[in-house]
């Protein structure tokens, strides 16, 4: 008697993977956390920490400070959560805490007098934008160093507005909600920031470059709200070409 052969499982015939449960809505997690459920708050931390950490790094320019700000933001959020009335979105509320704390930390640091080749924001941006174009990595590092030096020369309000809209990908209405100002103020600040960025970049003899594929990828990542993409290509293109 010949034993029947069992069919081999090939990739084309692989069994479909059942989708996992849908994520719990943020509002439901906030309500549970307000009622004292620590696990719900842990999920909020997991969900928002990458973006808060990115924002803290963009505003403080220091890895250690960014870590401290991020930890402090969620500690304060946990302590103040019972006072959160839900009149704004949770992300708006926690972003506001992050902006205020990051600016407080940055005020204690002296402004950078020159371009810092070891700026951690440059390292992360080059890793994001230069991995598929390694021959451009040196050029990107130089240009991003110049851009971030110019970015750091902006006033705190302009710097925060650029970080929220250009680097974090928030819409003007969302940024206005975080900064508690009219939407038109965000548009005016962006106009002023771009003019000042161009002037600062001209002073350090920065030349326009074609951001190309990295710029398109950056815009796509920001549109999809990828919290782990610290791309500066879109900001670079906007500073020179808008």
């Amino acid at each position: 008697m010949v034993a029947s052969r069992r069919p081999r499982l090939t990739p084309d015939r692989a069994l479909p993977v059942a989708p996992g449960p849908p994520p719990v809505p943020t509002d439901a997690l906030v309500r549970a956390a307000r009622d004292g459920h620590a696990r719900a708050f842990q999920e909020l931390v997991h969900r928002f920490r990458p973006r808060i950490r990115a924002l803290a790094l963009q505003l403080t320019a220091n890895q250690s400070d960014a870590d401290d700000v991020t930890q402090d933001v969620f500690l304060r959020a946990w302590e103040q959560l019972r006072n959160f009335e839900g009149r704004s979105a949770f992300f708006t509320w926690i972003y506001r805490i992050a902006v205020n704390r990051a600016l407080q930390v940055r005020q204690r640091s002296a402004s950078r007098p020159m371009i810092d080749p070891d700026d951690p924001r440059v390292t992360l941006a080059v890793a994001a934008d230069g991995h598929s174009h390694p021959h451009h990595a040196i050029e990107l590092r130089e240009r991003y160093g110049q851009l971030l030096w110019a970015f750091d020369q902006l006033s705190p309000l302009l710097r925060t507005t650029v970080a929220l809209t250009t680097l974090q990908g928030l819409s003007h209405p969302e940024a206005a909600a975080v900064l508690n100002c009219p939407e038109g103020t965000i548009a005016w600040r962006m106009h002023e920031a771009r003019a000042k960025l161009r002037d600062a970049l001209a002073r350090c003899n920065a030349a326009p470059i074609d951001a190309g594929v990295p710029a398109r990828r950056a815009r796509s990542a920001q549109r999809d709200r990828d919290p782990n993409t610290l791309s500066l290509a879109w900001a670079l293109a906007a500073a020179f070409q808008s």
Side-chain angles (χ1 to χ4, degrees):
M1 181 176 179
V2 179
S4 61
R5 292 185 177 180
R6 298 178 63 184
R8 297 180 63 184
L9 192 62
T10 64
D12 290 338
R13 299 170 63 181
L15 296 176
V17 177
V24 179
T26 297
D27 289 346
L29 290 173
V30 171
R31 288 193 297 270
R34 288 182 62 187
D35 290 338
H37 294 281
R39 185 170 296 180
F41 186 76
Q42 290 172 357
E43 176 58 28
L44 289 171
V45 173
H46 176 76
R47 188 170 295 185
F48 289 96
R49 187 185 185 282
R51 295 185 65 84
I52 296 301
R53 173 59 167 70
L55 177 63
L57 181 60
Q58 288 156 3
L59 293 178
T60 65
N62 182 281
Q63 296 271 23
S64 179
D65 286 344
D67 289 337
D68 291 344
V69 167
T70 303
Q71 182 176 355
D72 193 36
V73 164
F74 286 105
L75 178 61
R76 294 185 181 202
W78 173 250
E79 293 173 345
Q80 300 173 16
L81 193 58
R82 291 185 180 276
N83 299 325
F84 175 64
E85 299 177 352
R87 287 182 291 184
S88 62
F90 177 78
F91 96 88
T92 300
W93 181 69
I94 201 166
Y95 258 64
R96 191 175 298 142
I97 297 174
V99 166
N100 291 336
R101 186 68 187 117
L103 291 180
Q104 289 172 357
V105 170
R106 186 57 188 265
Q107 285 177 351
R108 299 199 302 259
S109 304
S111 60
R112 294 191 299 160
M114 60 184 65
I115 297 170
D116 181 4
D118 298 322
D119 189 320
R121 299 170 298 177
V122 173
T123 301
L124 289 170
V126 172
D129 290 340
H131 70 92
S132 58
H133 301 273
H135 56 290
H136 288 160
I138 295 177
E139 181 184 13
L140 286 175
R141 179 170 290 277
E142 178 183 0
R143 294 294 186 255
Y144 287 173
Q146 293 168 338
L147 176 64
L148 280 168
W149 175 83
F151 171 74
D152 288 340
Q153 308 311 303
L154 298 174
S155 68
L157 280 178
L158 294 184
R159 193 164 63 243
T160 302
T161 303
V162 172
L164 290 175
T165 58
T166 300
L167 301 180
Q168 288 282 312
L170 269 62
S171 67
H172 283 199
E174 289 171 334
V178 171
L179 298 177
N180 196 25
C181 67
E183 184 179 340
T185 300
I186 298 297
W188 178 85
R189 288 177 184 171
M190 287 300 296
H191 174 78
E192 287 293 301
R194 286 194 175 101
K196 291 182 181 298
L197 281 172
R198 291 193 197 97
D199 290 344
L201 289 167
R203 291 199 302 272
C204 64
N205 297 319
I209 66 170
D210 180 9
V213 173
R216 291 194 294 274
R217 193 170 65 81
R219 285 193 291 268
S220 175
Q222 287 160 345
R223 185 170 56 250
D224 296 337
R225 294 293 184 83
D226 180 355
N228 298 311
T229 299
L230 282 172
S231 176
L232 300 178
W234 187 91
L236 186 64
F240 284 115
Q241 299 170 15
S242 63

